[in-house]
Amino acid sequence: MNRAKLVRKQNDIYDAYKDIKVFSESQLKKALSNPNIKYWGPLLDKIPYHLITDKKIVSRIYKTDPMALFKRLPISFKNNKKNKDLMLKMLTIQTFGYNEKLPAKLKKDKDFVLKALRVYKDKGINSENFYEQISASLKANKQVTHLAISSGTGPFYIPKKFKADADMLQTYIDYVNNRYKQSKFIKSRNYFKFQDFNIVNMDLTYQY
């Protein structure tokens, strides 16, 4: 089936719910059992607060449209430590959305941030949008920023003190080299973000 037919099929599925303003619990339960609903994004606004904050329900739908669901979830749900593992799974399925906001507790949570950056690195997902959202105190942590660069965050966004750090420069070079080796779509090594490092004040003794 080509893309146009798939889109039409999905639209027909959503049309079946167009007259429902807010799902009742039974209506949502029935919709959740519908194997033809591949993406929940268009239906999220129909899920009432008491159901969208049900962890079991969130666990069933987060994979289909994670950033749309993340935006829909209340801050209280995102900040709840009982939901931290679920938030980690949701935010590391794809690149963190541009202009999305991390809740206050998560942006200061070093354990959460490190786990997310490791997943981004392992999956080859760029971490730059995510890194921009974490707290200044975590950006000032070398372990955090080192991992961010190794998962695609550009040196432009890192604290000034790290722009003159030879270890960070080497990590950036390694990232570019690994991307070139691993991707058949990248035709050459491009170090254009090299200019964002402070090479003049960098101690390169015994480094290169």
Side-chain angles (χ1 to χ4, degrees):
M1 186 180 296
N2 61 38
R3 181 174 176 81
K5 288 183 178 179
L6 283 172
V7 171
R8 284 196 298 271
K9 183 178 180 181
Q10 280 295 299
N11 288 339
D12 289 342
I13 292 168
Y14 298 136
D15 282 345
Y17 301 96
K18 65 181 180 181
D19 294 328
I20 299 176
K21 291 185 177 181
V22 179
F23 279 120
S24 66
E25 190 167 353
S26 61
Q27 287 172 330
L28 180 58
K29 184 177 180 180
K30 187 175 180 180
L32 287 169
S33 65
N34 186 344
N36 293 317
I37 299 179
K38 304 299 183 185
Y39 301 100
W40 271 87
L43 299 175
L44 291 177
D45 286 340
K46 297 178 183 291
I47 304 178
Y49 182 90
H50 72 285
L51 295 177
I52 200 69
T53 54
D54 185 319
K55 189 174 181 179
K56 291 181 180 179
I57 291 175
V58 175
S59 297
R60 290 187 64 178
I61 64 177
Y62 78 90
K63 291 182 181 179
T64 67
D65 206 340
M67 293 316 302
L69 178 57
F70 178 76
K71 186 179 292 186
R72 177 77 170 79
L73 289 171
I75 294 294
S76 58
F77 185 94
K78 298 174 187 177
N79 276 334
N80 190 326
K81 63 181 181 180
K82 293 180 180 179
N83 300 327
K84 193 160 69 169
D85 288 344
L86 182 56
M87 288 295 98
L88 181 65
K89 292 176 183 178
M90 188 182 302
L91 296 180
T92 54
I93 290 176
Q94 59 191 55
T95 302
F96 190 75
Y98 180 70
N99 278 342
E100 295 297 340
K101 303 295 183 184
L102 272 179
K105 285 188 178 180
L106 292 183
K107 68 169 55 182
K108 296 185 292 185
D109 188 323
K110 183 180 178 182
D111 178 67
F112 178 85
V113 168
L114 285 174
K115 284 181 178 178
L117 290 172
R118 289 189 187 105
V119 176
Y120 286 136
K121 181 179 179 180
D122 292 343
K123 288 185 175 182
I125 298 174
N126 190 289
S127 66
E128 193 164 270
N129 290 341
F130 178 82
Y131 180 79
E132 284 189 78
Q133 288 297 315
I134 68 174
S135 68
S137 61
L138 285 185
K139 288 179 181 176
N141 181 281
K142 187 168 183 177
Q143 181 185 13
V144 170
T145 294
H146 183 274
L147 191 53
I149 290 180
S150 69
S151 54
T153 294
F156 177 82
Y157 299 98
I158 69 176
K160 184 178 180 180
K161 66 177 183 177
F162 292 140
K163 293 184 179 184
D165 188 309
D167 289 338
M168 296 295 180
L169 174 60
Q170 183 61 61
T171 299
Y172 168 69
I173 292 171
D174 291 342
Y175 170 76
V176 173
N177 290 341
N178 289 334
R179 287 275 292 163
Y180 171 73
K181 293 174 183 177
Q182 295 170 6
S183 176
K184 61 182 180 181
F185 302 107
I186 299 176
K187 303 303 181 182
S188 63
R189 293 177 173 85
N190 192 328
Y191 303 100
F192 72 95
K193 294 181 180 179
F194 188 91
Q195 62 189 358
D196 292 321
F197 283 101
N198 184 359
I199 305 297
V200 174
N201 294 320
M202 189 176 291
D203 180 7
L204 297 176
T205 308
Y206 305 119
Q207 294 289 326
Y208 307 98

